[in-house]
Amino acid sequence: MTRTGIADREPCPNRIVEDIGGAFAMGAVGGSIFHGVKGGWTAPKGSAFRGSLSAIKARAPVLGGNFAVWGGCFASCDCTLTAIRRKEDPYNAIMSGFLTGGILAARAGPRAAGQSAVIGGVLLAMIEGLGVMITKYTAPDLPGPEDYAQAGVQDPTAPPTMGGLGSFGGGPGGLFGGGGDGGGGGAPPPDVVDGDRAITGPADDENTFGSSGTFSTTLEGESEEKSGGWWPFGGSK
C-alpha cells in the first residue's frame, strides 16, 4: 500500500474490504512471530520447533481474525462518520476508534464497553497525533523569497511592484502612457510612404497632431502655388 495521505485512501466501500484484509494479514504475521517464539520457548526440551509450529497453527489465525474484526468495524465506523460529517480528517479516526472499542466490548457490559471505548479513542488519538507530527516535521519547507532569488525565478506570492505595472501604466514605454514627461502621447509613429506622399511623425514641423487629434499631411514635391493656394479643387477661387 503506497498511499500515505488521507485524501489518497480508497473510497469507503472498497476501504472496508482493504482494511479487513490488511488487519488480518497484520494479525496473522504478528501472531505467527509472537506465538512461534512463545511456543518454542515453552515447548519441552528437544521439541522446540514442533511446539513453535503447533502454536503458530493454533493461535496465529485466531489473532488474525480478531484483527480483521477490529479493522472491519473501525473502517465501517470511519466511513459512516465520513458520510455524516462530509469531511475526512483525523477526528473521524479518533471517533471511530472510540466507537469500535465500545462496540467490540458491548457484550461484557456497559462499564467494560466504556473502558474499552476510552482506550480505543486514546490509542487512535495517539496514533493520529504521531502521524500529524511526522508529516509536519518531514514535509519540505515552502520556498522563501531568498530561494526564489537564488533560483532566478520571480516569487509568485510577492505583491506587484511599479516596475511590473509599467507596461500597463502611464509611465515611459507604457501601454497607455506617454513619454518621459508624463504626457499623454505615445512614441512617434514611423515614416510611412504611400505612393507619392510621405507621412512623417511629429518630428516634421508641418505634420503634427493637432489639438483635435487629426493628422495633417502635405504632398511631397508640390508647392502651394501649384495646388491653387488654399482652394482644394485647384486653380484660383
Side-chain angles (χ1 to χ4, degrees):
M1 182 175 178
T2 60
R3 291 175 294 274
T4 57
I6 292 179
D8 296 332
R9 297 177 64 185
E10 288 285 345
C12 272
N14 299 331
R15 185 187 306 175
I16 297 175
V17 179
E18 181 185 8
D19 287 354
I20 291 175
F24 178 81
M26 185 184 301
V29 172
S32 298
I33 296 173
F34 176 79
H35 289 292
V37 174
K38 183 179 179 181
W41 183 265
T42 58
K45 187 177 182 179
S47 59
F49 180 75
R50 184 178 299 177
S52 176
L53 189 60
S54 298
I56 291 173
K57 290 191 296 184
R59 301 300 304 170
V62 176
L63 188 60
N66 292 337
F67 269 71
V69 171
W70 196 94
C73 186
F74 176 84
S76 300
C77 294
D78 190 16
C79 289
T80 302
L81 291 174
T82 301
I84 294 174
R85 300 180 67 227
R86 296 189 179 276
K87 63 171 61 176
E88 198 164 355
D89 53 12
Y91 293 107
N92 286 348
I94 296 173
M95 290 186 288
S96 298
F98 180 85
L99 294 175
T100 300
I103 291 171
L104 295 181
R107 295 178 61 186
R111 184 173 181 178
Q115 293 177 352
S116 181
V118 172
I119 293 174
V122 172
L123 180 62
L124 264 297
M126 294 175 60
I127 294 174
E128 292 295 327
L130 182 62
V132 170
M133 290 179 59
I134 292 175
T135 303
K136 180 179 179 180
Y137 286 104
T138 57
D141 297 333
L142 294 176
E146 297 82 3
D147 300 327
Y148 285 110
Q150 293 179 358
V153 181
Q154 184 179 2
D155 187 359
T157 62
T161 60
M162 294 303 297
L165 296 176
S167 58
F168 298 96
L175 182 61
F176 304 107
D181 57 351
D191 294 346
V192 179
V193 178
D194 183 12
D196 59 348
R197 296 186 299 173
I199 304 176
T200 60
D204 191 353
D205 294 335
E206 296 180 354
N207 303 328
T208 57
F209 284 102
S211 60
S212 61
T214 60
F215 190 80
S216 61
T217 63
T218 60
L219 297 178
E220 185 179 13
E222 294 184 3
S223 62
E224 185 175 357
E225 291 79 11
K226 184 178 179 180
S227 61
W230 61 271
W231 186 247
F233 301 104
S236 59
K237 183 177 177 183

